[in-house]
Amino acid sequence: MAKGKSALDHLNSGRQPHIVHVIPPGAPGYREANGGAMVVSSPAEVDEFVRRIGPGEVATLDDLRAALARRHGVETACPVSTAIFAGMSARAAEELRHAGQAAEQLTPWWRVLKRGGFLNPKLPGGVERQKMLLEAEGVRVSPLRKQLAVFDYEARWPADL
Protein backbone atom coordinates (compact mmCIF):
# COMPACT_ATOMS: atom_id res chain seq x y z
CA MET A 1 0.00 0.00 0.00
CA ALA A 2 1.07 3.57 -0.60
CA LYS A 3 2.73 5.17 2.39
CA GLY A 4 0.27 7.00 4.63
CA LYS A 5 -2.87 5.42 3.16
CA SER A 6 -4.94 3.03 5.21
CA ALA A 7 -6.61 -0.07 3.81
CA LEU A 8 -9.92 1.76 4.18
CA ASP A 9 -8.57 4.60 2.01
CA HIS A 10 -7.66 2.10 -0.70
CA LEU A 11 -11.04 0.37 -0.41
CA ASN A 12 -12.82 3.69 -0.93
CA SER A 13 -10.45 4.99 -3.62
CA GLY A 14 -13.04 4.90 -6.40
CA ARG A 15 -10.81 2.68 -8.51
CA GLN A 16 -12.84 0.92 -11.20
CA PRO A 17 -12.43 -2.59 -12.61
CA HIS A 18 -10.90 -2.78 -16.06
CA ILE A 19 -10.57 -5.46 -18.71
CA VAL A 20 -7.29 -6.68 -20.17
CA HIS A 21 -8.18 -7.97 -23.62
CA VAL A 22 -5.07 -9.79 -24.75
CA ILE A 23 -3.70 -12.55 -22.57
CA PRO A 24 -1.21 -14.81 -24.33
CA PRO A 25 -2.39 -18.45 -24.36
CA GLY A 26 -0.70 -20.37 -21.54
CA ALA A 27 0.58 -17.27 -19.73
CA PRO A 28 1.84 -18.33 -16.27
CA GLY A 29 -0.91 -17.88 -13.68
CA TYR A 30 -3.54 -17.24 -16.36
CA ARG A 31 -3.82 -20.64 -18.06
CA GLU A 32 -7.59 -20.74 -17.64
CA ALA A 33 -7.88 -17.55 -19.69
CA ASN A 34 -6.90 -19.56 -22.77
CA GLY A 35 -5.90 -16.42 -24.60
CA GLY A 36 -9.10 -14.56 -23.65
CA ALA A 37 -9.84 -11.41 -21.68
CA MET A 38 -9.25 -10.87 -17.97
CA VAL A 39 -10.78 -8.46 -15.48
CA VAL A 40 -8.60 -6.59 -13.03
CA SER A 41 -11.19 -5.86 -10.38
CA SER A 42 -11.17 -3.13 -7.73
CA PRO A 43 -10.88 -3.19 -3.94
CA ALA A 44 -14.53 -2.12 -3.57
CA GLU A 45 -15.81 -4.78 -5.99
CA VAL A 46 -13.90 -7.58 -4.24
CA ASP A 47 -15.21 -6.29 -0.89
CA GLU A 48 -18.76 -6.39 -2.30
CA PHE A 49 -18.34 -10.05 -3.27
CA VAL A 50 -16.84 -11.00 0.11
CA ARG A 51 -19.84 -9.38 1.83
CA ARG A 52 -22.11 -11.85 -0.02
CA ILE A 53 -20.57 -14.80 1.83
CA GLY A 54 -22.94 -15.60 4.68
CA PRO A 55 -22.30 -17.06 8.13
CA GLY A 56 -21.20 -20.70 7.87
CA GLU A 57 -20.28 -20.26 4.20
CA VAL A 58 -16.80 -20.00 2.73
CA ALA A 59 -15.34 -19.25 -0.69
CA THR A 60 -11.84 -19.57 -2.07
CA LEU A 61 -9.99 -16.82 -3.86
CA ASP A 62 -10.54 -18.90 -7.02
CA ASP A 63 -14.32 -18.81 -6.36
CA LEU A 64 -14.15 -15.02 -6.06
CA ARG A 65 -12.18 -14.81 -9.30
CA ALA A 66 -14.74 -16.97 -11.12
CA ALA A 67 -17.59 -14.78 -9.85
CA LEU A 68 -15.78 -11.61 -10.93
CA ALA A 69 -15.11 -13.08 -14.38
CA ARG A 70 -18.80 -14.01 -14.77
CA ARG A 71 -19.89 -10.51 -13.80
CA HIS A 72 -17.64 -8.96 -16.44
CA GLY A 73 -18.20 -11.61 -19.11
CA VAL A 74 -14.52 -12.53 -19.42
CA GLU A 75 -12.49 -15.71 -19.15
CA THR A 76 -10.82 -14.98 -15.81
CA ALA A 77 -10.03 -12.43 -13.11
CA CYS A 78 -6.49 -11.47 -12.21
CA PRO A 79 -5.27 -13.76 -9.41
CA VAL A 80 -2.73 -11.29 -8.05
CA SER A 81 -5.00 -8.24 -7.80
CA THR A 82 -7.92 -10.32 -6.47
CA ALA A 83 -5.74 -11.62 -3.62
CA ILE A 84 -4.36 -8.15 -2.90
CA PHE A 85 -7.83 -6.60 -2.88
CA ALA A 86 -9.21 -9.36 -0.63
CA GLY A 87 -6.39 -8.55 1.80
CA MET A 88 -7.23 -4.84 1.60
CA SER A 89 -10.85 -5.66 2.34
CA ALA A 90 -9.79 -7.65 5.41
CA ARG A 91 -7.50 -4.91 6.72
CA ALA A 92 -10.17 -2.26 6.11
CA ALA A 93 -12.70 -4.34 8.09
CA GLU A 94 -10.23 -4.58 10.96
CA GLU A 95 -9.63 -0.81 10.84
CA LEU A 96 -13.39 -0.35 11.17
CA ARG A 97 -13.54 -2.92 14.00
CA HIS A 98 -10.88 -0.98 15.90
CA ALA A 99 -12.83 2.24 15.27
CA GLY A 100 -15.85 0.68 16.99
CA GLN A 101 -18.00 -0.50 14.07
CA ALA A 102 -20.40 -3.31 14.98
CA ALA A 103 -19.12 -6.78 14.06
CA GLU A 104 -22.21 -7.62 11.98
CA GLN A 105 -21.50 -4.61 9.73
CA LEU A 106 -17.94 -5.66 8.93
CA THR A 107 -16.87 -7.43 5.75
CA PRO A 108 -16.51 -11.13 6.74
CA TRP A 109 -12.97 -11.53 5.41
CA TRP A 110 -12.36 -14.69 7.46
CA ARG A 111 -14.72 -16.59 5.11
CA VAL A 112 -12.23 -16.32 2.22
CA LEU A 113 -9.90 -19.30 1.87
CA LYS A 114 -6.94 -20.13 -0.27
CA ARG A 115 -7.10 -22.82 -2.98
CA GLY A 116 -7.84 -26.23 -1.50
CA GLY A 117 -9.72 -24.79 1.48
CA PHE A 118 -6.59 -23.66 3.33
CA LEU A 119 -6.65 -20.75 5.76
CA ASN A 120 -4.65 -17.69 4.78
CA PRO A 121 -1.74 -16.66 7.05
CA LYS A 122 -1.57 -13.24 5.33
CA LEU A 123 -4.99 -12.15 6.64
CA PRO A 124 -5.25 -10.12 9.88
CA GLY A 125 -4.26 -12.20 12.90
CA GLY A 126 -3.05 -15.08 10.73
CA VAL A 127 -4.61 -18.51 10.55
CA GLU A 128 -5.37 -18.71 14.29
CA ARG A 129 -7.62 -15.63 14.12
CA GLN A 130 -9.28 -16.88 10.94
CA LYS A 131 -9.82 -20.29 12.57
CA MET A 132 -11.39 -18.70 15.67
CA LEU A 133 -13.81 -16.59 13.59
CA LEU A 134 -14.78 -19.50 11.32
CA GLU A 135 -15.35 -21.87 14.23
CA ALA A 136 -17.55 -19.25 15.92
CA GLU A 137 -19.82 -19.64 12.86
CA GLY A 138 -19.82 -23.45 13.03
CA VAL A 139 -17.18 -24.05 10.35
CA ARG A 140 -14.85 -26.89 11.32
CA VAL A 141 -11.15 -26.22 10.75
CA SER A 142 -8.61 -29.05 10.89
CA PRO A 143 -4.94 -29.62 10.05
CA LEU A 144 -4.16 -30.86 6.55
CA ARG A 145 -0.54 -31.33 5.44
CA LYS A 146 0.71 -29.17 8.35
CA GLN A 147 -1.69 -26.33 7.47
CA LEU A 148 -5.17 -25.46 8.73
CA ALA A 149 -8.00 -26.09 6.27
CA VAL A 150 -11.77 -26.37 5.92
CA PHE A 151 -12.32 -29.90 4.57
CA ASP A 152 -15.91 -29.39 3.45
CA TYR A 153 -15.29 -25.96 1.91
CA GLU A 154 -16.91 -26.95 -1.40
CA ALA A 155 -20.17 -27.81 0.38
CA ARG A 156 -20.16 -24.40 2.08
CA TRP A 157 -19.96 -22.34 -1.11
CA PRO A 158 -22.39 -19.36 -1.12
CA ALA A 159 -25.30 -19.74 -3.52
CA ASP A 160 -25.32 -16.12 -4.66
CA LEU A 161 -21.62 -15.54 -5.34
Side-chain angles (χ1 to χ4, degrees), residues 97-118:
R97 180 189 311 274
H98 291 302
Q101 185 155 352
E104 61 275 359
Q105 295 176 329
L106 299 174
T107 300
W109 57 265
W110 55 91
R111 298 175 187 156
V112 178
L113 306 172
K114 292 173 38 175
R115 179 176 288 146
F118 291 101

Side-chain angles (χ1 to χ4, degrees), residues 69-83:
R70 279 192 305 276
R71 171 183 272 185
H72 293 280
V74 295
E75 297 294 321
T76 190
C78 177
V80 175
S81 63
T82 302

Side-chain angles (χ1 to χ4, degrees), residues 23-27 34-35:
I23 302 170
N34 199 26

